[in-house]
Amino acid sequence: NSKFELKQNYPNPFNTNTTIRFSLPEAVQVKLTVYDINAREVRSLVSGNLSAGTYDFTWDATSNSGAATSSGFYFYSLQAGSFIQTRKMTLFDK
């Protein structure tokens, strides 16, 4: 892949877990973070160096502390070097 890309999560909406896919054209420092509607960090999924490639990470609708999150809208943001992209996802009642 020749560019940074953050795909829409699948499934969306979801109720137990969802997969977030992104592509990196080069090795880079990466942060993949889930935020609530008030822009508070809910879960850090990735924080570190990754090599070029396509990655799938699953979010199980829990917070960093392991607590279940409530239904509603969430955002996930990929920061990879100077690339930043954010997308919206919907969690419905479990």
Side-chain angles (χ1 to χ4, degrees), residues 32-46:
L32 179 63
T33 310
V34 176
Y35 298 94
D36 68 15
I37 198 78
N38 296 312
R40 291 182 296 238
E41 181 178 316
V42 174
R43 181 78 180 267
S44 174
L45 295 173
V46 181

Side-chain angles (χ1 to χ4, degrees), residues 6-49:
L6 178 62
K7 300 278 196 181
Q8 185 63 50
N9 65 301
Y10 182 82
N12 186 41
F14 68 101
N15 69 352
T16 54
N17 57 52
T18 190
T19 299
I20 298 168
R21 173 176 283 189
F22 61 88
S23 298
L24 307 173
E26 62 195 40
V28 69
Q29 178 77 19
V30 173
K31 284 183 68 175
L32 179 63
T33 310
V34 176
Y35 298 94
D36 68 15
I37 198 78
N38 296 312
R40 291 182 296 238
E41 181 178 316
V42 174
R43 181 78 180 267
S44 174
L45 295 173
V46 181
S47 183
N49 288 309

Side-chain angles (χ1 to χ4, degrees), residues 22-92:
F22 61 88
S23 298
L24 307 173
E26 62 195 40
V28 69
Q29 178 77 19
V30 173
K31 284 183 68 175
L32 179 63
T33 310
V34 176
Y35 298 94
D36 68 15
I37 198 78
N38 296 312
R40 291 182 296 238
E41 181 178 316
V42 174
R43 181 78 180 267
S44 174
L45 295 173
V46 181
S47 183
N49 288 309
L50 293 177
S51 55
T54 299
Y55 295 87
D56 288 335
F57 285 90
T58 300
W59 182 44
D60 60 2
T62 60
S63 68
N64 282 327
S65 66
T69 54
S70 55
S71 60
F73 295 112
Y74 291 86
F75 298 92
Y76 57 101
S77 182
L78 175 67
Q79 295 179 4
S82 60
F83 174 86
I84 299 174
Q85 187 172 4
T86 302
R87 291 186 178 268
K88 184 171 146 181
M89 59 185 162
T90 305
L91 170 63
F92 60 86

